[in-house]
Amino acid sequence: METTLVLLSILTAAVIALGFITYRLIKSLELYLIPLYAELMRKRERDYVLVEFLTSLLVSKGLITAAEANALKSVAATGPLTEEDLDRVDEILDKDPTQLTFEELLDVKKVAYKLLGRLDRRSLRLGMKLLRYAAKIEEALIGGIKAVAGSAGGGRWR
């Protein structure tokens, strides 16, 4: 009986140590990934400047219309973080997560990308939290849609 208790204690200590080591590894990985993602966002902003220049050039040459240029710019733009963006996210986060739409999740993601494009650590953390939140809600929404489609379609859409 004592041998079993000792082995169980050793196993418990090993599991706790493994959990702690895994947690530290994930945290250290996060410290490397966040700056890489921020650099990616800064490059994306530089690319937007290039898109702006090229679309203006194409409009001046008459190869595309101004409406087409504006459409191209809106696809490439993230824009600066505004107070309205933060108010919109605050409004969305106050809602029941089960009532969110894909458009609202897209708004949360856009603000998260804008936050990740900033240089300070607090913005990076908040941006990552918003992306995780949006991903969890999207998974729940997609899971709910699949469940409803599966039960309504009699399994024929699987």
Side-chain angles (χ1 to χ4, degrees):
M1 185 70 180
E2 286 183 26
T3 308
T4 306
L5 185 59
V6 169
L7 289 175
L8 185 60
S9 297
I10 292 171
L11 181 63
T12 303
V15 168
I16 290 171
L18 184 61
F20 180 73
I21 291 169
T22 304
Y23 172 78
R24 296 301 298 165
L25 286 172
I26 290 172
K27 279 299 185 184
S28 66
L29 183 63
E30 186 177 275
L31 291 175
Y32 291 112
L33 290 179
I34 289 175
L36 287 174
Y37 194 77
E39 182 62 26
L40 178 70
M41 295 309 294
R42 283 189 289 279
K43 287 181 180 179
R44 183 174 176 182
E45 287 298 319
R46 269 197 315 248
D47 290 347
Y48 175 70
V49 171
L50 181 62
V51 167
E52 177 109 9
F53 169 75
L54 290 175
T55 53
S56 299
L57 181 67
L58 292 173
V59 168
S60 68
K61 298 274 185 185
L63 298 173
I64 61 173
T65 66
E68 292 169 333
N70 288 335
L72 287 172
K73 288 176 189 177
S74 69
V75 168
T78 57
L81 184 65
T82 63
E83 195 170 319
E84 290 82 23
D85 291 333
L86 296 175
D87 290 340
R88 176 73 176 139
V89 167
D90 190 36
E91 174 187 316
I92 291 170
L93 293 178
D94 285 339
K95 286 184 164 185
D96 179 19
T98 60
Q99 302 300 318
L100 294 178
T101 64
F102 281 111
E103 291 79 20
E104 290 169 329
L105 288 174
L106 185 61
D107 290 343
V108 171
K109 284 181 173 181
K110 284 181 182 179
V111 171
Y113 292 141
K114 290 178 183 182
L115 283 167
L116 290 171
R118 298 174 65 158
L119 295 175
D120 60 301
R121 187 178 189 108
R122 190 173 182 189
S123 296
L124 293 173
R125 284 187 180 165
L126 182 57
M128 291 299 290
K129 285 181 181 179
L130 286 174
L131 283 177
R132 284 187 208 117
Y133 174 79
K136 287 178 184 176
I137 300 301
E138 278 181 336
E139 287 175 11
L141 284 174
I142 290 170
I145 291 171
K146 286 181 182 177
V148 169
S151 64
R156 127 185 120 151
W157 296 103
R158 290 184 189 178

